[in-house]
Amino acid sequence: MKSTVSKVVRYELDIENPPPLTNEQRAELKALSECPDSDIDYSDIPPLTDDFFKNAVRGRFYKPVKQQATVRIDADVLDWLKASGRGYQTRLNAILRKEMLADLKRR
C-alpha cells in the first residue's frame, strides 16, 4: 500500500507592509483609473430590483471585533443576566448595543 504525504502551505499577508507594486501592476491601475465608468461592462451582474432592496438587511454579515474588558457590575444585575442561562455576556453586549444605537439616533 502506497502512503501519500501532503504538505499544507500557509501564507500570511502583512497588511501593514504589502509588497511593492510591479511596473505592470502600476500600469494596470493607471489604465483602470483613467477608464470612464461608461466603459465598465456590467453584463455579468444582475440588476438590483426593488424586491432586492425590500429584503435587504444592513450589516447582515458585519461582525464587530470583540475586545476583552473587565467591568464591575452590581451583583443583582449580574444575577439577573445569568438567570436566563448560558450566554449572559452576549445578552449584556446586546443590551449595551441597543442602548448605544438609541443614543446615536438621539444625537
mmCIF file of all heavy atoms in Angstrom, residues 56-102:
data_model
loop_
_atom_site.group_PDB
_atom_site.id
_atom_site.type_symbol
_atom_site.label_atom_id
_atom_site.label_comp_id
_atom_site.label_asym_id
_atom_site.label_seq_id
_atom_site.Cartn_x
_atom_site.Cartn_y
_atom_site.Cartn_z
ATOM 1 N N ALA A 56 -33.429 43.562 1.729
ATOM 2 C CA ALA A 56 -32.036 43.790 2.105
ATOM 3 C C ALA A 56 -31.927 44.107 3.594
ATOM 4 O O ALA A 56 -32.809 44.731 4.178
ATOM 5 C CB ALA A 56 -31.454 44.937 1.278
ATOM 6 N N VAL A 57 -30.843 43.645 4.190
ATOM 7 C CA VAL A 57 -30.589 43.883 5.603
ATOM 8 C C VAL A 57 -29.220 44.530 5.729
ATOM 9 O O VAL A 57 -28.223 43.972 5.258
ATOM 10 C CB VAL A 57 -30.618 42.560 6.408
ATOM 11 C CG1 VAL A 57 -30.275 42.802 7.864
ATOM 12 C CG2 VAL A 57 -31.961 41.883 6.266
ATOM 13 N N ARG A 58 -29.170 45.692 6.345
ATOM 14 C CA ARG A 58 -27.901 46.387 6.522
ATOM 15 C C ARG A 58 -27.065 45.667 7.576
ATOM 16 O O ARG A 58 -27.555 45.278 8.622
ATOM 17 C CB ARG A 58 -28.130 47.815 6.956
ATOM 18 C CG ARG A 58 -26.828 48.543 7.233
ATOM 19 C CD ARG A 58 -27.062 49.961 7.562
ATOM 20 N NE ARG A 58 -27.327 50.654 6.315
ATOM 21 C CZ ARG A 58 -27.558 51.952 6.219
ATOM 22 N NH1 ARG A 58 -27.582 52.694 7.285
ATOM 23 N NH2 ARG A 58 -27.773 52.515 5.065
ATOM 24 N N GLY A 59 -25.803 45.475 7.260
ATOM 25 C CA GLY A 59 -24.871 44.888 8.212
ATOM 26 C C GLY A 59 -25.087 43.411 8.475
ATOM 27 O O GLY A 59 -24.672 42.901 9.510
ATOM 28 N N ARG A 60 -25.708 42.700 7.560
ATOM 29 C CA ARG A 60 -26.040 41.291 7.766
ATOM 30 C C ARG A 60 -24.810 40.448 8.081
ATOM 31 O O ARG A 60 -24.867 39.540 8.883
ATOM 32 C CB ARG A 60 -26.739 40.768 6.524
ATOM 33 C CG ARG A 60 -27.190 39.351 6.618
ATOM 34 C CD ARG A 60 -27.895 38.957 5.360
ATOM 35 N NE ARG A 60 -28.612 37.718 5.536
ATOM 36 C CZ ARG A 60 -29.355 37.179 4.612
ATOM 37 N NH1 ARG A 60 -29.498 37.794 3.454
ATOM 38 N NH2 ARG A 60 -29.966 36.056 4.823
ATOM 39 N N PHE A 61 -23.715 40.748 7.420
ATOM 40 C CA PHE A 61 -22.504 39.962 7.621
ATOM 41 C C PHE A 61 -21.463 40.707 8.441
ATOM 42 O O PHE A 61 -20.336 40.278 8.545
ATOM 43 C CB PHE A 61 -21.925 39.541 6.266
ATOM 44 C CG PHE A 61 -22.890 38.706 5.481
ATOM 45 C CD1 PHE A 61 -23.546 39.225 4.374
ATOM 46 C CD2 PHE A 61 -23.156 37.403 5.858
ATOM 47 C CE1 PHE A 61 -24.444 38.458 3.658
ATOM 48 C CE2 PHE A 61 -24.057 36.625 5.151
ATOM 49 C CZ PHE A 61 -24.704 37.155 4.044
ATOM 50 N N TYR A 62 -21.858 41.817 9.036
ATOM 51 C CA TYR A 62 -20.943 42.600 9.863
ATOM 52 C C TYR A 62 -20.714 41.869 11.173
ATOM 53 O O TYR A 62 -21.655 41.455 11.851
ATOM 54 C CB TYR A 62 -21.530 43.985 10.131
ATOM 55 C CG TYR A 62 -20.781 44.776 11.168
ATOM 56 C CD1 TYR A 62 -19.511 45.272 10.896
ATOM 57 C CD2 TYR A 62 -21.318 45.015 12.415
ATOM 58 C CE1 TYR A 62 -18.815 45.999 11.853
ATOM 59 C CE2 TYR A 62 -20.635 45.740 13.377
ATOM 60 C CZ TYR A 62 -19.382 46.234 13.077
ATOM 61 O OH TYR A 62 -18.691 46.940 14.029
ATOM 62 N N LYS A 63 -19.485 41.668 11.519
ATOM 63 C CA LYS A 63 -19.150 41.024 12.788
ATOM 64 C C LYS A 63 -18.123 41.904 13.480
ATOM 65 O O LYS A 63 -16.950 41.915 13.100
ATOM 66 C CB LYS A 63 -18.599 39.627 12.535
ATOM 67 C CG LYS A 63 -18.372 38.861 13.804
ATOM 68 C CD LYS A 63 -17.955 37.441 13.524
ATOM 69 C CE LYS A 63 -17.773 36.704 14.837
ATOM 70 N NZ LYS A 63 -17.337 35.343 14.634
ATOM 71 N N PRO A 64 -18.550 42.647 14.484
ATOM 72 C CA PRO A 64 -17.610 43.548 15.136
ATOM 73 C C PRO A 64 -16.496 42.788 15.848
ATOM 74 O O PRO A 64 -16.680 41.647 16.270
ATOM 75 C CB PRO A 64 -18.470 44.314 16.145
ATOM 76 C CG PRO A 64 -19.680 43.492 16.336
ATOM 77 C CD PRO A 64 -19.868 42.682 15.098
ATOM 78 N N VAL A 65 -15.366 43.427 15.958
ATOM 79 C CA VAL A 65 -14.234 42.848 16.669
ATOM 80 C C VAL A 65 -14.547 42.871 18.153
ATOM 81 O O VAL A 65 -14.989 43.880 18.691
ATOM 82 C CB VAL A 65 -12.949 43.662 16.373
ATOM 83 C CG1 VAL A 65 -11.776 43.128 17.180
ATOM 84 C CG2 VAL A 65 -12.636 43.649 14.886
ATOM 85 N N LYS A 66 -14.348 41.744 18.794
ATOM 86 C CA LYS A 66 -14.590 41.667 20.238
ATOM 87 C C LYS A 66 -13.331 42.099 20.981
ATOM 88 O O LYS A 66 -12.219 41.833 20.554
ATOM 89 C CB LYS A 66 -14.936 40.237 20.667
ATOM 90 C CG LYS A 66 -16.184 39.681 20.005
ATOM 91 C CD LYS A 66 -17.410 40.341 20.553
ATOM 92 C CE LYS A 66 -18.659 39.692 19.966
ATOM 93 N NZ LYS A 66 -19.863 40.364 20.310
ATOM 94 N N GLN A 67 -13.537 42.776 22.086
ATOM 95 C CA GLN A 67 -12.425 43.208 22.914
ATOM 96 C C GLN A 67 -12.726 42.798 24.348
ATOM 97 O O GLN A 67 -13.821 43.028 24.855
ATOM 98 C CB GLN A 67 -12.257 44.726 22.825
ATOM 99 C CG GLN A 67 -11.059 45.230 23.596
ATOM 100 C CD GLN A 67 -10.805 46.697 23.319
ATOM 101 O OE1 GLN A 67 -11.465 47.319 22.497
ATOM 102 N NE2 GLN A 67 -9.847 47.256 24.017
ATOM 103 N N GLN A 68 -11.763 42.158 24.973
ATOM 104 C CA GLN A 68 -11.962 41.732 26.356
ATOM 105 C C GLN A 68 -11.850 42.942 27.272
ATOM 106 O O GLN A 68 -10.986 43.789 27.106
ATOM 107 C CB GLN A 68 -10.924 40.689 26.738
ATOM 108 C CG GLN A 68 -11.171 40.097 28.098
ATOM 109 C CD GLN A 68 -10.272 38.910 28.375
ATOM 110 O OE1 GLN A 68 -9.661 38.368 27.488
ATOM 111 N NE2 GLN A 68 -10.212 38.521 29.627
ATOM 112 N N ALA A 69 -12.773 43.005 28.253
ATOM 113 C CA ALA A 69 -12.765 44.104 29.216
ATOM 114 C C ALA A 69 -13.169 43.566 30.580
ATOM 115 O O ALA A 69 -13.896 42.582 30.686
ATOM 116 C CB ALA A 69 -13.746 45.192 28.770
ATOM 117 N N THR A 70 -12.698 44.214 31.581
ATOM 118 C CA THR A 70 -13.103 43.892 32.942
ATOM 119 C C THR A 70 -13.961 45.040 33.438
ATOM 120 O O THR A 70 -13.540 46.194 33.402
ATOM 121 C CB THR A 70 -11.866 43.723 33.850
ATOM 122 O OG1 THR A 70 -11.044 42.688 33.311
ATOM 123 C CG2 THR A 70 -12.277 43.369 35.257
ATOM 124 N N VAL A 71 -15.197 44.718 33.847
ATOM 125 C CA VAL A 71 -16.104 45.757 34.339
ATOM 126 C C VAL A 71 -16.687 45.315 35.672
ATOM 127 O O VAL A 71 -16.769 44.118 35.969
ATOM 128 C CB VAL A 71 -17.254 46.038 33.343
ATOM 129 C CG1 VAL A 71 -16.719 46.590 32.034
ATOM 130 C CG2 VAL A 71 -18.073 44.796 33.079
ATOM 131 N N ARG A 72 -17.074 46.270 36.452
ATOM 132 C CA ARG A 72 -17.715 45.970 37.739
ATOM 133 C C ARG A 72 -19.214 46.206 37.567
ATOM 134 O O ARG A 72 -19.645 47.290 37.188
ATOM 135 C CB ARG A 72 -17.119 46.840 38.831
ATOM 136 C CG ARG A 72 -15.616 46.563 39.006
ATOM 137 C CD ARG A 72 -15.015 47.304 40.153
ATOM 138 N NE ARG A 72 -15.530 46.916 41.452
ATOM 139 C CZ ARG A 72 -15.138 45.838 42.142
ATOM 140 N NH1 ARG A 72 -14.224 45.047 41.637
ATOM 141 N NH2 ARG A 72 -15.645 45.585 43.324
ATOM 142 N N ILE A 73 -19.983 45.158 37.844
ATOM 143 C CA ILE A 73 -21.433 45.200 37.667
ATOM 144 C C ILE A 73 -22.075 44.870 39.008
ATOM 145 O O ILE A 73 -21.604 43.983 39.729
ATOM 146 C CB ILE A 73 -21.879 44.166 36.609
ATOM 147 C CG1 ILE A 73 -21.199 44.455 35.264
ATOM 148 C CG2 ILE A 73 -23.380 44.168 36.428
ATOM 149 C CD1 ILE A 73 -21.423 43.389 34.232
ATOM 150 N N ASP A 74 -23.157 45.548 39.328
ATOM 151 C CA ASP A 74 -23.883 45.248 40.554
ATOM 152 C C ASP A 74 -24.265 43.766 40.559
ATOM 153 O O ASP A 74 -24.659 43.205 39.526
ATOM 154 C CB ASP A 74 -25.147 46.101 40.665
ATOM 155 C CG ASP A 74 -24.822 47.583 40.828
ATOM 156 O OD1 ASP A 74 -23.691 47.900 41.246
ATOM 157 O OD2 ASP A 74 -25.706 48.408 40.531
ATOM 158 N N ALA A 75 -24.170 43.155 41.738
ATOM 159 C CA ALA A 75 -24.417 41.716 41.871
ATOM 160 C C ALA A 75 -25.821 41.329 41.406
ATOM 161 O O ALA A 75 -26.001 40.297 40.751
ATOM 162 C CB ALA A 75 -24.203 41.285 43.315
ATOM 163 N N ASP A 76 -26.815 42.152 41.716
ATOM 164 C CA ASP A 76 -28.180 41.801 41.322
ATOM 165 C C ASP A 76 -28.368 41.871 39.808
ATOM 166 O O ASP A 76 -29.108 41.090 39.224
ATOM 167 C CB ASP A 76 -29.213 42.671 42.044
ATOM 168 C CG ASP A 76 -29.043 44.159 41.789
ATOM 169 O OD1 ASP A 76 -27.912 44.602 41.488
ATOM 170 O OD2 ASP A 76 -30.033 44.904 41.916
ATOM 171 N N VAL A 77 -27.662 42.798 39.157
ATOM 172 C CA VAL A 77 -27.728 42.901 37.698
ATOM 173 C C VAL A 77 -27.094 41.660 37.066
ATOM 174 O O VAL A 77 -27.651 41.062 36.140
ATOM 175 C CB VAL A 77 -27.031 44.194 37.196
ATOM 176 C CG1 VAL A 77 -26.954 44.224 35.681
ATOM 177 C CG2 VAL A 77 -27.757 45.422 37.727
ATOM 178 N N LEU A 78 -25.950 41.261 37.593
ATOM 179 C CA LEU A 78 -25.279 40.070 37.076
ATOM 180 C C LEU A 78 -26.123 38.819 37.314
ATOM 181 O O LEU A 78 -26.247 37.970 36.414
ATOM 182 C CB LEU A 78 -23.896 39.920 37.711
ATOM 183 C CG LEU A 78 -23.013 38.817 37.140
ATOM 184 C CD1 LEU A 78 -22.788 38.994 35.650
ATOM 185 C CD2 LEU A 78 -21.684 38.782 37.880
ATOM 186 N N ASP A 79 -26.734 38.706 38.477
ATOM 187 C CA ASP A 79 -27.621 37.574 38.765
ATOM 188 C C ASP A 79 -28.787 37.535 37.782
ATOM 189 O O ASP A 79 -29.180 36.470 37.306
ATOM 190 C CB ASP A 79 -28.153 37.648 40.199
ATOM 191 C CG ASP A 79 -27.092 37.354 41.244
ATOM 192 O OD1 ASP A 79 -26.050 36.749 40.888
ATOM 193 O OD2 ASP A 79 -27.300 37.741 42.404
ATOM 194 N N TRP A 80 -29.351 38.699 37.493
ATOM 195 C CA TRP A 80 -30.460 38.792 36.543
ATOM 196 C C TRP A 80 -30.024 38.323 35.163
ATOM 197 O O TRP A 80 -30.735 37.566 34.499
ATOM 198 C CB TRP A 80 -30.973 40.231 36.505
ATOM 199 C CG TRP A 80 -31.985 40.484 35.430
ATOM 200 C CD1 TRP A 80 -33.293 40.113 35.435
ATOM 201 C CD2 TRP A 80 -31.750 41.166 34.195
ATOM 202 N NE1 TRP A 80 -33.894 40.531 34.269
ATOM 203 C CE2 TRP A 80 -32.968 41.182 33.487
ATOM 204 C CE3 TRP A 80 -30.637 41.771 33.620
ATOM 205 C CZ2 TRP A 80 -33.102 41.770 32.241
ATOM 206 C CZ3 TRP A 80 -30.768 42.364 32.377
ATOM 207 C CH2 TRP A 80 -31.987 42.353 31.695
ATOM 208 N N LEU A 81 -28.838 38.764 34.722
ATOM 209 C CA LEU A 81 -28.335 38.342 33.419
ATOM 210 C C LEU A 81 -28.098 36.832 33.373
ATOM 211 O O LEU A 81 -28.453 36.166 32.404
ATOM 212 C CB LEU A 81 -27.022 39.067 33.083
ATOM 213 C CG LEU A 81 -27.132 40.501 32.600
ATOM 214 C CD1 LEU A 81 -25.773 41.174 32.645
ATOM 215 C CD2 LEU A 81 -27.703 40.546 31.200
ATOM 216 N N LYS A 82 -27.522 36.284 34.427
ATOM 217 C CA LYS A 82 -27.196 34.859 34.463
ATOM 218 C C LYS A 82 -28.436 33.982 34.657
ATOM 219 O O LYS A 82 -28.417 32.801 34.310
ATOM 220 C CB LYS A 82 -26.195 34.579 35.583
ATOM 221 C CG LYS A 82 -24.800 35.084 35.268
ATOM 222 C CD LYS A 82 -23.838 34.700 36.378
ATOM 223 C CE LYS A 82 -22.412 35.033 36.023
ATOM 224 N NZ LYS A 82 -21.458 34.597 37.060
ATOM 225 N N ALA A 83 -29.517 34.546 35.189
ATOM 226 C CA ALA A 83 -30.727 33.767 35.459
ATOM 227 C C ALA A 83 -31.340 33.179 34.192
ATOM 228 O O ALA A 83 -32.024 32.158 34.246
ATOM 229 C CB ALA A 83 -31.756 34.632 36.192
ATOM 230 N N SER A 84 -31.085 33.799 33.050
ATOM 231 C CA SER A 84 -31.645 33.302 31.787
ATOM 232 C C SER A 84 -30.838 32.154 31.207
ATOM 233 O O SER A 84 -31.174 31.642 30.147
ATOM 234 C CB SER A 84 -31.716 34.440 30.763
ATOM 235 O OG SER A 84 -32.573 35.447 31.220
ATOM 236 N N GLY A 85 -29.764 31.780 31.868
ATOM 237 C CA GLY A 85 -28.958 30.663 31.373
ATOM 238 C C GLY A 85 -27.708 31.133 30.664
ATOM 239 O O GLY A 85 -27.279 32.281 30.798
ATOM 240 N N ARG A 86 -27.148 30.198 29.904
ATOM 241 C CA ARG A 86 -25.901 30.487 29.193
ATOM 242 C C ARG A 86 -26.054 31.688 28.264
ATOM 243 O O ARG A 86 -27.139 31.969 27.782
ATOM 244 C CB ARG A 86 -25.474 29.276 28.374
ATOM 245 C CG ARG A 86 -25.071 28.093 29.222
ATOM 246 C CD ARG A 86 -24.606 26.972 28.353
ATOM 247 N NE ARG A 86 -23.581 27.484 27.450
ATOM 248 C CZ ARG A 86 -22.561 26.808 26.991
ATOM 249 N NH1 ARG A 86 -22.425 25.566 27.324
ATOM 250 N NH2 ARG A 86 -21.676 27.342 26.181
ATOM 251 N N GLY A 87 -24.945 32.367 28.029
ATOM 252 C CA GLY A 87 -24.949 33.477 27.082
ATOM 253 C C GLY A 87 -25.194 34.827 27.720
ATOM 254 O O GLY A 87 -25.587 35.771 27.039
ATOM 255 N N TYR A 88 -24.945 34.940 29.015
ATOM 256 C CA TYR A 88 -25.227 36.221 29.673
ATOM 257 C C TYR A 88 -24.335 37.338 29.144
ATOM 258 O O TYR A 88 -24.757 38.491 29.071
ATOM 259 C CB TYR A 88 -25.113 36.103 31.199
ATOM 260 C CG TYR A 88 -23.702 36.034 31.748
ATOM 261 C CD1 TYR A 88 -23.039 37.179 32.141
ATOM 262 C CD2 TYR A 88 -23.036 34.813 31.847
ATOM 263 C CE1 TYR A 88 -21.747 37.119 32.646
ATOM 264 C CE2 TYR A 88 -21.752 34.747 32.343
ATOM 265 C CZ TYR A 88 -21.109 35.894 32.739
ATOM 266 O OH TYR A 88 -19.835 35.842 33.219
ATOM 267 N N GLN A 89 -23.105 37.019 28.738
ATOM 268 C CA GLN A 89 -22.222 38.057 28.196
ATOM 269 C C GLN A 89 -22.746 38.554 26.858
ATOM 270 O O GLN A 89 -22.703 39.753 26.555
ATOM 271 C CB GLN A 89 -20.799 37.520 28.058
ATOM 272 C CG GLN A 89 -20.143 37.268 29.397
ATOM 273 C CD GLN A 89 -18.808 36.556 29.252
ATOM 274 O OE1 GLN A 89 -18.614 35.723 28.376
ATOM 275 N NE2 GLN A 89 -17.884 36.897 30.141
ATOM 276 N N THR A 90 -23.278 37.640 26.048
ATOM 277 C CA THR A 90 -23.872 38.027 24.763
ATOM 278 C C THR A 90 -25.090 38.904 24.983
ATOM 279 O O THR A 90 -25.295 39.900 24.285
ATOM 280 C CB THR A 90 -24.240 36.768 23.958
ATOM 281 O OG1 THR A 90 -23.064 35.975 23.779
ATOM 282 C CG2 THR A 90 -24.833 37.122 22.613
ATOM 283 N N ARG A 91 -25.918 38.535 25.980
ATOM 284 C CA ARG A 91 -27.089 39.369 26.305
ATOM 285 C C ARG A 91 -26.666 40.745 26.780
ATOM 286 O O ARG A 91 -27.252 41.759 26.405
ATOM 287 C CB ARG A 91 -27.966 38.681 27.355
ATOM 288 C CG ARG A 91 -28.835 37.579 26.792
ATOM 289 C CD ARG A 91 -29.873 37.092 27.799
ATOM 290 N NE ARG A 91 -29.270 36.480 28.980
ATOM 291 C CZ ARG A 91 -28.789 35.240 29.010
ATOM 292 N NH1 ARG A 91 -28.827 34.503 27.924
ATOM 293 N NH2 ARG A 91 -28.274 34.752 30.124
ATOM 294 N N LEU A 92 -25.644 40.791 27.622
ATOM 295 C CA LEU A 92 -25.137 42.074 28.106
ATOM 296 C C LEU A 92 -24.682 42.939 26.938
ATOM 297 O O LEU A 92 -25.009 44.123 26.857
ATOM 298 C CB LEU A 92 -23.989 41.858 29.097
ATOM 299 C CG LEU A 92 -23.284 43.113 29.610
ATOM 300 C CD1 LEU A 92 -24.257 44.014 30.342
ATOM 301 C CD2 LEU A 92 -22.126 42.730 30.506
ATOM 302 N N ASN A 93 -23.964 42.327 26.008
ATOM 303 C CA ASN A 93 -23.490 43.069 24.835
ATOM 304 C C ASN A 93 -24.670 43.566 23.999
ATOM 305 O O ASN A 93 -24.669 44.707 23.519
ATOM 306 C CB ASN A 93 -22.566 42.187 23.987
ATOM 307 C CG ASN A 93 -21.865 42.972 22.920
ATOM 308 O OD1 ASN A 93 -20.962 43.749 23.202
ATOM 309 N ND2 ASN A 93 -22.272 42.782 21.675
ATOM 310 N N ALA A 94 -25.702 42.729 23.830
ATOM 311 C CA ALA A 94 -26.876 43.123 23.045
ATOM 312 C C ALA A 94 -27.605 44.295 23.699
ATOM 313 O O ALA A 94 -28.050 45.222 23.018
ATOM 314 C CB ALA A 94 -27.818 41.933 22.877
ATOM 315 N N ILE A 95 -27.725 44.254 25.021
ATOM 316 C CA ILE A 95 -28.383 45.349 25.748
ATOM 317 C C ILE A 95 -27.590 46.646 25.578
ATOM 318 O O ILE A 95 -28.161 47.709 25.294
ATOM 319 C CB ILE A 95 -28.532 44.986 27.242
ATOM 320 C CG1 ILE A 95 -29.530 43.853 27.408
ATOM 321 C CG2 ILE A 95 -28.947 46.207 28.058
ATOM 322 C CD1 ILE A 95 -29.500 43.191 28.774
ATOM 323 N N LEU A 96 -26.282 46.552 25.730
ATOM 324 C CA LEU A 96 -25.443 47.746 25.574
ATOM 325 C C LEU A 96 -25.481 48.272 24.141
ATOM 326 O O LEU A 96 -25.529 49.482 23.906
ATOM 327 C CB LEU A 96 -24.007 47.446 26.002
ATOM 328 C CG LEU A 96 -23.813 47.198 27.502
ATOM 329 C CD1 LEU A 96 -22.401 46.703 27.771
ATOM 330 C CD2 LEU A 96 -24.111 48.459 28.294
ATOM 331 N N ARG A 97 -25.474 47.359 23.168
ATOM 332 C CA ARG A 97 -25.532 47.791 21.762
ATOM 333 C C ARG A 97 -26.851 48.499 21.469
ATOM 334 O O ARG A 97 -26.893 49.528 20.804
ATOM 335 C CB ARG A 97 -25.350 46.606 20.822
ATOM 336 C CG ARG A 97 -25.496 46.985 19.339
ATOM 337 C CD ARG A 97 -25.057 45.897 18.407
ATOM 338 N NE ARG A 97 -23.637 45.624 18.532
ATOM 339 C CZ ARG A 97 -22.667 46.388 18.015
ATOM 340 N NH1 ARG A 97 -22.985 47.475 17.347
ATOM 341 N NH2 ARG A 97 -21.413 46.056 18.165
ATOM 342 N N LYS A 98 -27.964 47.952 21.989
ATOM 343 C CA LYS A 98 -29.275 48.578 21.776
ATOM 344 C C LYS A 98 -29.287 50.003 22.332
ATOM 345 O O LYS A 98 -29.759 50.939 21.682
ATOM 346 C CB LYS A 98 -30.361 47.730 22.442
ATOM 347 C CG LYS A 98 -31.756 48.245 22.255
ATOM 348 C CD LYS A 98 -32.765 47.330 22.918
ATOM 349 C CE LYS A 98 -34.160 47.902 22.822
ATOM 350 N NZ LYS A 98 -35.137 47.061 23.532
ATOM 351 N N GLU A 99 -28.752 50.167 23.520
ATOM 352 C CA GLU A 99 -28.682 51.495 24.128
ATOM 353 C C GLU A 99 -27.742 52.416 23.356
ATOM 354 O O GLU A 99 -28.018 53.605 23.191
ATOM 355 C CB GLU A 99 -28.251 51.400 25.593
ATOM 356 C CG GLU A 99 -29.339 50.864 26.486
ATOM 357 C CD GLU A 99 -30.617 51.699 26.417
ATOM 358 O OE1 GLU A 99 -30.535 52.939 26.548
ATOM 359 O OE2 GLU A 99 -31.691 51.115 26.226
ATOM 360 N N MET A 100 -26.628 51.879 22.884
ATOM 361 C CA MET A 100 -25.684 52.681 22.114
ATOM 362 C C MET A 100 -26.347 53.197 20.835
ATOM 363 O O MET A 100 -26.253 54.388 20.504
ATOM 364 C CB MET A 100 -24.452 51.846 21.745
ATOM 365 C CG MET A 100 -23.456 52.587 20.863
ATOM 366 S SD MET A 100 -22.175 51.520 20.165
ATOM 367 C CE MET A 100 -23.099 50.665 18.903
ATOM 368 N N LEU A 101 -27.044 52.305 20.111
ATOM 369 C CA LEU A 101 -27.698 52.715 18.862
ATOM 370 C C LEU A 101 -28.804 53.730 19.133
ATOM 371 O O LEU A 101 -28.966 54.689 18.358
ATOM 372 C CB LEU A 101 -28.231 51.493 18.136
ATOM 373 C CG LEU A 101 -27.162 50.520 17.608
ATOM 374 C CD1 LEU A 101 -27.818 49.266 17.041
ATOM 375 C CD2 LEU A 101 -26.277 51.188 16.578
ATOM 376 N N ALA A 102 -29.559 53.544 20.211
ATOM 377 C CA ALA A 102 -30.595 54.509 20.568
ATOM 378 C C ALA A 102 -29.979 55.875 20.862
ATOM 379 O O ALA A 102 -30.508 56.909 20.451
ATOM 380 C CB ALA A 102 -31.407 54.003 21.754
#
